[in-house]
Amino acid sequence: MPHIAIIGSGFAALTTARDLRRRGVGADITVISPRDELHYLPSSIWIPAGLRRAKALRLPLARFFARHRVRFLKASVTGLVARARQITTDTGETIAADHVVIASGGRFLKKLPGIEHAIIPCEGIAAAEAMTARLAALDGGTIAIGMATNPNEPGAIRGGPMFEYAFILDRLLRREGRRDRFRMVFFSPSARPGQRLGEKAVDAILAEMKRRGIETHLGHKMVRIEPDRVVTEGGEVAADLILFQPGMTGPEWLAATDLPLSPGGMVRADAFCRVEGCEGLWVAGDAGSYPGPEWLPKQAHQADLQARAVAANIAGALKGRPPAKAFTAELVCIMDSLDRGMLVFRRGRINLTLPALRPLHWLKRAFEHHYLRAYR
């Protein structure tokens, strides 16, 4: 019986497992991850406003694994021998497989001096809870919200949630009747943050910040973060609460492998999500570096599309066919502001931006309900 090993338990990993079974693949599947829960991070933006609680966004996966006949190994990967398709783990167990899917996600770069003084919102649900507690304890002051990228891989950025936090916190403070006691500043080394969304989207985002009274400190390289300020080459932003999304790179264990890595530290893949030069090795989601348009996003939707391509190509390989399914490059983002949402869509030459509308907020909430049905 063929064996497929999937590293990770996030969007790309679970979509790969589900799509393999949908395609009738009867092979043994092992999922390796230190976490047997799906953390639905897209909705963690609503934790500060009480629209979601952390418990509701942590979904146990035991039933999902049983339903799809998946063996789960609770472990952290420590290494991978590409030629042998052999995975080592911190439990001491070694897993060998006919196909290995790297879907472990990326990690945030933490080389900036003093980054420990900032909360990294997309690092997990606990970060959203910490931010909620810090905000509740403040009677006033300055909130600094910013983002940066991986200088060696400009596409390794997840900026959308930071725009959402800026708009959501502004709206929340207004609801609470204390917005006038807070200064909000958005900072980024880029003079026009969010360019992967398209120029019209950037114009709309910056206009919305101006309308809400959110100041900007843009186009200045970051130097360090201190407990009460963000220091850049273009000046300082004093702050009582700092939210910062650094650029991304690959999992730490990749450095000890013989896998081909991009300049930014991610696994190099082709259009079929096949690891370059490595038979039977695949990558989907944030851990990979892929060919495609310069705006190719790092987001859950793109990870799902890559995972579907991986599942299709593995299913074909098990029947002796070469890879034929290239992943679709597509960006779909609803930037929420607590009661409205701005839609950005990119695919091929299409680049659509819709202004903040109330129905789009509800569409984002409806999508969450639809997406999570597979795991509840």
Side-chain angles (χ1 to χ4, degrees):
M1 177 77 73
H3 182 206
I4 302 166
I6 302 173
I7 302 172
S9 58
F11 297 106
L14 301 180
T15 296
T16 300
R18 187 172 68 245
D19 268 40
L20 283 168
R21 293 308 189 209
R22 283 179 176 172
R23 290 178 174 277
V25 173
D28 292 333
I29 298 177
T30 300
V31 166
I32 307 165
S33 173
R35 192 169 69 198
D36 57 357
E37 298 176 323
L38 171 64
H39 288 189
Y40 193 74
L41 293 181
S43 291
S44 63
I45 56 171
W46 292 323
I47 288 178
L51 287 183
R52 291 293 180 273
R53 296 190 180 279
K55 184 178 180 181
L57 302 181
R58 296 186 177 105
L59 284 79
L61 292 170
R63 291 183 180 180
F64 174 87
F65 290 144
R67 188 162 60 247
H68 294 284
R69 306 187 312 282
V70 171
R71 178 204 172 204
F72 174 70
L73 173 61
K74 191 169 187 176
S76 294
V77 170
T78 56
L80 171 61
V81 181
R83 186 166 48 187
R85 295 185 294 278
Q86 192 173 74
I87 304 163
T88 56
T89 70
D90 62 354
T91 65
E93 185 169 351
T94 298
I95 303 295
D98 300 280
H99 291 273
V100 173
V101 182
I102 302 169
S104 53
R107 63 188 169 97
F108 292 107
L109 288 168
K110 295 185 177 181
K111 295 182 179 179
L112 182 69
I115 195 172
E116 67 274 9
H117 301 305
I119 294 175
I120 302 175
C122 284
E123 200 162 37
I125 293 172
E129 291 181 301
M131 179 185 58
T132 302
R134 289 274 299 278
L135 183 63
L138 290 175
D139 186 51
T142 299
I143 303 173
I145 303 173
M147 63 185 193
T149 189
N150 182 331
N152 295 317
E153 193 142 344
I157 184 173
R158 185 176 292 151
M162 302 314 291
F163 298 132
E164 291 184 294
Y165 274 115
F167 298 147
I168 284 175
L169 294 185
D170 170 79
R171 180 61 180 146
L172 176 60
L173 291 170
R174 291 180 191 277
R175 281 186 179 181
E176 295 174 345
R178 58 193 191 116
R179 176 66 174 91
D180 61 330
R181 302 202 294 273
F182 285 87
R183 177 189 179 213
M184 295 184 66
V185 182
F186 194 93
F187 65 94
S188 172
S190 172
R192 287 178 59 81
Q195 285 183 303
R196 307 183 77 75
L197 300 171
E199 294 300 328
K200 289 184 179 179
V202 176
D203 289 341
I205 290 167
L206 294 179
E208 185 68 9
M209 288 186 182
K210 184 175 181 180
R211 187 184 73 82
R212 291 172 178 269
I214 300 173
E215 302 172 34
T216 57
H217 183 81
L218 306 175
H220 304 292
K221 183 178 178 181
M222 297 187 65
V223 176
R224 64 183 180 276
I225 295 177
E226 296 180 1
D228 60 350
R229 70 192 63 243
V230 176
V231 181
T232 76
E233 290 183 348
E236 301 180 355
V237 178
D240 301 277
L241 173 61
I242 303 170
L243 309 180
F244 177 57
Q245 194 92 307
M248 302 178 69
T249 186
E252 193 170 6
W253 57 267
L254 288 180
T257 71
D258 54 350
L259 294 169
L261 302 183
S262 69
M266 297 171 176
V267 181
R268 291 206 313 265
D270 62 17
F272 304 107
C273 297
R274 177 177 49 187
V275 177
E276 289 184 0
C278 299
E279 188 72 24
L281 289 182
W282 313 82
V283 61
D286 291 349
S289 180
Y290 311 89
E294 52 84 21
W295 50 261
L296 188 69
K298 292 287 186 184
Q299 62 171 188
H301 176 63
Q302 186 64 74
D304 281 340
L305 294 176
Q306 289 159 348
R308 290 169 191 158
V310 168
N313 290 325
I314 290 178
L318 292 175
K319 295 179 181 179
R321 298 196 295 262
K325 174 66 173 175
F327 73 88
T328 300
E330 186 173 272
L331 186 156
V332 182
C333 176
I334 296 179
M335 282 180 286
D336 195 72
S337 56
L338 204 56
D339 56 358
R340 297 174 185 272
M342 177 191 297
L343 173 68
V344 180
F345 175 83
R346 296 195 78 166
R347 182 174 181 178
R349 295 183 178 180
I350 301 172
N351 187 189
L352 174 68
T353 300
L354 294 181
L357 300 170
R358 195 175 301 275
L360 291 174
H361 166 76
W362 290 102
L363 178 61
K364 187 170 182 120
R365 294 177 69 165
F367 178 79
E368 174 209 65
H369 177 76
H370 167 74
Y371 191 92
L372 294 182
R373 285 178 60 189
Y375 304 105
R376 288 196 167 111

